[in-house]
């Protein structure tokens, strides 16, 4: 493995309660000096809820940054409760967004959201043995909808460009590479 890029200095250029942007002065192994912009965001979880009929439950909400409503699997972070385990956050986000509690939560992997520019990673879970309850959505999730889809419908949503959330697509890809996607339904 080649040498690491050395950080020579750092400064915060922007910060709010949800993220921090820093600019680092760096030196590459060959001596070249440059800067890196790094976005620090809390790690999060993504949960693929699968019911007994083989349907995948997703949520739709308006995503301000891209100006569109998107379908995605439940996901989120608890930045104010950093001591919470990823499993605890996954159970909480599932309940909050869909109303479901899961009899079984299986970790299927950990991925980085955008390692070229961000420190953020996420743990992906498969939730099964679902029991329906009431949602506990945050005020910013008041426009959220929930619906269940067959795997055939999910595939069509992907091919039609209707399902565009990178996290959701990554979780489906991870399951496919593990040879488990077809066994879900």
């Amino acid at each position: 493995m080649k040498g690491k890029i050395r950080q020579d200095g750092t400064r915060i250029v922007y910060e709010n309660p949800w993220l921090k942007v820093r600019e680092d002065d760096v030196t590459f192994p060959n001596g070249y000096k440059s800067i890196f912009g790094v976005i620090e965001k809390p790690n999060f979880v993504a949960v693929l809820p699968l019911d007994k009929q083989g349907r995948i439950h997703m949520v739709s909400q308006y995503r301000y940054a891209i100006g569109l409503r998107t379908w995605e699997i439940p996901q989120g972070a608890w930045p104010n409760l950093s001591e919470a385990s990823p499993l605890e956050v996954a159970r909480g986000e599932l309940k909050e967004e869909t109303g479901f509690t899961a009899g079984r939560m299986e970790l299927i992997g950990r991925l980085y959201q955008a390692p070229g520019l961000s420190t953020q990673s996420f743990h992906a879970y498969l939730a099964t043995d679902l029991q329906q309850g009431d949602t506990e959505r945050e005020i910013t999730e008041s426009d959220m909808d929930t619906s269940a889809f067959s795997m055939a419908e999910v595939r069509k949503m992907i091919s039609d460009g209707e399902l565009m959330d990178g996290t959701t697509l990554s979780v489906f890809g991870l399951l496919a590479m593990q040879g488990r996607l077809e066994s879900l339904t």
Side-chain angles (χ1 to χ4, degrees), residues 75-89:
Q75 52 194 281
W78 291 356
N80 296 331
L81 295 170
S82 58
E83 71 283 352
S85 72
L87 178 59
E88 184 181 358
V89 177

Side-chain angles (χ1 to χ4, degrees), residues 63-76:
R63 292 300 195 177
Y64 176 80
I66 61 171
L68 298 170
R69 288 190 70 81
T70 61
W71 282 105
E72 54 199 53
I73 60 175
Q75 52 194 281

